[in-house]
Amino acid sequence: MATTGEGAYMCTLDNESLKVAKDELHEDPHERGSQIQTLRDWVKQQPHITSRTDDHFLLRFLRASKFSQLRAQQMIDNFWTVRSNPAKGTPEWFIDNDPADPKVQDLLNMGNPCTNNGLL
């Protein structure tokens, strides 16, 4: 079980999950640490991004992008743009969200706006 850098990720995937990660996400346990470090280095070089750089956080983006550095970089950039740039995103959605606020309570009291396709 390899560890690396900030956050010292320790893989806890079983053999079956490791095979799925390798086959479907192109995740190589021997390269995982260097892939995380490459993405971390990129994040730290971006003046407009203030982001967590721990292994677990960055690994989410790598897995979601099937270990494409370029796609992971785009996803992190989009993730933070939506949360911080009023011209390109909606930062107000991510600040001061008090569940006790009457407006939030009204939304919660409306119930689930999504269908469950008969699963419940």
Side-chain angles (χ1 to χ4, degrees):
M1 294 188 187
T3 62
T4 182
E6 300 172 18
Y9 175 77
M10 183 173 291
C11 183
T12 58
L13 299 177
D14 59 34
N15 287 337
E16 184 177 337
S17 297
L18 283 170
K19 183 175 178 355
V20 169
K22 184 173 178 70
D23 294 345
E24 296 181 17
L25 305 179
H26 312 292
E27 181 173 343
D28 181 348
H30 303 292
E31 297 293 323
R32 184 188 304 119
S34 65
Q35 293 283 328
I36 293 170
Q37 188 60 47
T38 299
L39 187 57
R40 177 181 297 117
D41 292 343
W42 177 84
V43 168
K44 289 181 175 183
Q45 292 173 2
Q46 305 310 305
H48 65 289
I49 296 176
T50 304
S51 178
R52 290 173 44 190
T53 57
D54 60 276
D55 291 2
H56 284 91
F57 183 76
L58 297 176
L59 189 56
R60 292 179 199 166
F61 292 95
L62 286 168
R63 285 178 172 158
S65 66
K66 296 188 176 187
F67 276 76
S68 162
Q69 285 288 327
L70 180 59
R71 183 68 186 123
Q73 291 168 4
Q74 292 170 334
M75 291 172 74
I76 289 174
D77 198 359
N78 290 341
F79 180 88
W80 289 112
T81 296
V82 167
R83 286 163 175 74
S84 63
N85 187 331
K88 295 181 179 179
T90 52
E92 64 274 11
W93 289 3
F94 302 96
I95 56 173
D96 298 328
N97 288 325
D98 178 7
D101 181 304
K103 291 178 185 176
V104 174
Q105 284 296 308
D106 287 345
L107 289 172
L108 292 173
N109 289 333
M110 288 178 167
N112 185 357
C114 302
T115 63
N116 62 20
N117 294 327
L119 297 176
L120 296 177

